[in-house]
Amino acid sequence: MPTPVSNDFVVNFPTLGYLAADWIEWHCPIPDGFKQGSPYVMADWQLWCTVNHYRVKNTAKWVPDNPVRGPAFFYRRSLVVAPQKTGKGPWTASQALFEARGPALFAGWAKGGEVYECRHHGCGCGFTFEYEPGDPMGMPWPTPLIQIMATSEDQVDNIWRPLTSMVKNGPLIESVKPGEEFIRLPNDGRIDKITSNAMSRLGNPITACFQDENGLYTRSNKLTKTARTMRRGVAGMSGRSNATTNAWDPSEKSDAQETYDLHPADVFVFFREAPASLGDFKKKAARKRILEYVYEGSWWVDLNSIEAEAAELVQLDPAEAERFYGNRLVQGQGTWLPPELWEKAYAGRALAAQSA
Ligand SMILES: [Zn+2]
């Protein structure tokens, strides 16, 4: 089980994450709202997820004629669990663009004074980043092949829309050609949408993938299989993947839940789950404490309006309200037996049938 997330984000490991954050701030404008067009600056917890995803192994070795790709990094993939409206879509869009055009691969260790310059990588925007001695350095994928998966066309638009806006309103428009179905990148690279009704490119080798709402990918809707196929495609290229989701219904055994329960050491999991001590989500005072806890750092969120939505949904579907806004793993109200109990009851019946 993952250890609870503390809010002391201490970065005491080598990472390309700060380079990623600077690169994103320079290349990705805020996609919508009152601050549309201003540089996209990550909230502290988003930066924490980024510096962990781009954490480099201390032992990573630079081999110029055959660069180590995914295995240079500490984590093979990331799972980020966060409540509604914490900006998972724009964050994922920024990460996808960094994988598409930014220095997302390890390129050796800096001695000091080395500089990453966009102009050496087909981008005339003027961006530079000077490394400190001992920093890992980065370089872009030669041909980035990226897939973005979601449960439906509408869902994928939560990423596609900010992604397209970031491209159109920033310096990336010089080299990136956004379209409805896919985005063309230089050197035959591309970003594709994968949804349940657009699977034609599923299974292709890819360098990165982003799986949105994998708390809704299950065996019965076959999306668990789709997600795994996609991750096999990324493993084939030594790439890496990223998943984001709301808290899931534990009776559904989703892809997110399987990752969370298994939690392999090379998967980074961020899940700021509100502790039980904060109280009952159905009660207004406790709900306020829980919302303050799980939305901390997401400065664009108006907690009063979140509270208004949560209070209404609590009346209609308390479990869904607690998952969506309280970021807690709660079973759906339709489930009247805990899943283990159901399986046990069934196993007991099977045994009885055998011995009869
Ligand atoms: Zn640039």
Side-chain angles (χ1 to χ4, degrees):
M1 279 296 199
T3 46
V5 175
S6 91
N7 286 337
D8 308 324
F9 299 133
V10 181
V11 182
N12 53 6
F13 45 80
T15 175
L16 291 176
Y18 293 114
L19 169 58
D22 272 21
W23 187 95
I24 286 168
E25 227 178 289
W26 186 278
H27 291 86
C28 303
I30 292 178
D32 48 31
F34 290 117
K35 293 200 172 181
Q36 186 177 34
S38 304
Y40 179 79
V41 180
M42 285 182 242
D44 52 0
W45 66 269
Q46 293 173 322
L47 181 61
W48 175 245
C49 295
T50 306
V51 296
N52 275 283
H53 191 72
Y54 289 99
R55 175 175 179 178
V56 175
K57 285 177 187 161
N58 291 311
T59 53
K61 289 217 165 50
W62 171 237
V63 188
D65 49 354
N66 187 22
V68 185
R69 288 157 284 171
F73 293 93
F74 195 86
Y75 294 113
R76 188 167 43 90
R77 58 189 179 99
S78 293
L79 170 67
V80 175
V81 189
Q84 290 288 89
K85 301 198 166 63
T86 39
K88 296 193 288 285
W91 180 70
T92 301
S94 76
Q95 307 294 298
L97 287 171
F98 182 65
E99 284 287 329
R101 293 292 287 134
L105 283 176
F106 173 68
W109 299 95
K111 295 191 175 73
E114 293 94 334
V115 178
Y116 179 84
E117 293 185 66
C118 259
R119 67 190 175 97
H120 295 151
H121 302 281
C123 179
C125 74
F127 174 77
T128 61
F129 181 92
E130 189 173 343
Y131 298 106
E132 300 286 323
D135 275 354
M137 298 187 289
M139 64 177 185
W141 283 90
T143 302
L145 299 166
I146 297 168
Q147 290 180 348
I148 296 177
M149 171 177 173
T151 50
S152 66
E153 194 73 22
D154 282 353
Q155 193 69 36
V156 91
D157 277 346
N158 291 336
I159 297 168
W160 206 258
R161 224 180 307 108
L163 202 159
T164 308
S165 166
M166 284 171 169
V167 170
K168 284 183 179 161
N169 299 308
L172 290 173
I173 193 64
E174 298 299 323
S175 58
V176 177
K177 299 291 160 248
E180 281 299 311
E181 293 310 313
F182 72 95
I183 291 173
R184 199 181 291 282
L185 303 171
N187 206 18
D188 290 330
R190 54 192 288 156
I191 305 177
D192 281 280
K193 284 180 191 179
I194 304 282
T195 65
S196 45
N197 45 11
M199 297 259 206
S200 62
R201 304 190 75 85
L202 182 67
N204 286 5
I206 49 176
T207 59
C209 68
F210 296 87
Q211 301 178 322
D212 191 38
E213 286 306 340
N214 68 328
L216 299 175
Y217 304 176
T218 61
R219 278 163 209 263
S220 58
N221 64 23
K222 299 199 169 60
L223 292 177
T224 296
K225 196 169 171 223
T226 307
R228 287 186 188 162
T229 305
M230 195 181 272
R231 290 199 291 261
R232 269 202 299 281
V234 91
M237 298 279 283
S238 283
R240 297 190 308 137
S241 70
N242 221 310
T244 44
T245 186
N246 278 134
W248 50 87
D249 179 337
S251 68
E252 288 180 346
K253 301 247 185 288
S254 61
D255 181 64
Q257 184 180 356
E258 285 179 352
T259 301
Y260 180 76
D261 288 348
L262 195 64
H263 199 192
D266 60 355
V267 176
F268 172 70
V269 175
F270 178 81
F271 187 1
R272 191 151 61 184
E273 195 178 6
S277 61
L278 293 183
D280 181 350
F281 194 74
K282 291 191 277 305
K283 303 217 167 82
K284 192 176 165 75
R287 195 159 62 236
K288 184 168 187 291
R289 289 193 293 272
I290 293 165
L291 294 180
E292 280 168 359
Y293 184 87
V294 299
Y295 283 92
E296 192 186 320
S298 303
W299 54 264
W300 53 90
V301 168
D302 178 348
L303 281 187
N304 290 324
S305 75
I306 294 286
E307 160 56 16
E309 285 186 54
E312 185 182 356
L313 193 55
V314 155
Q315 308 291 319
L316 302 168
D317 187 337
E320 189 172 82
E322 192 162 356
R323 285 198 298 274
F324 277 18
Y325 299 107
N327 207 32
R328 278 176 167 170
L329 300 174
V330 196
Q331 249 169 230
Q333 59 184 173
T335 316
W336 51 277
L337 264 183
E340 317 82 64
L341 207 63
W342 175 258
E343 276 156 23
K344 263 190 226 145
Y346 188 79
R349 224 171 33 200
L351 281 175
Q354 270 174 17
S355 59

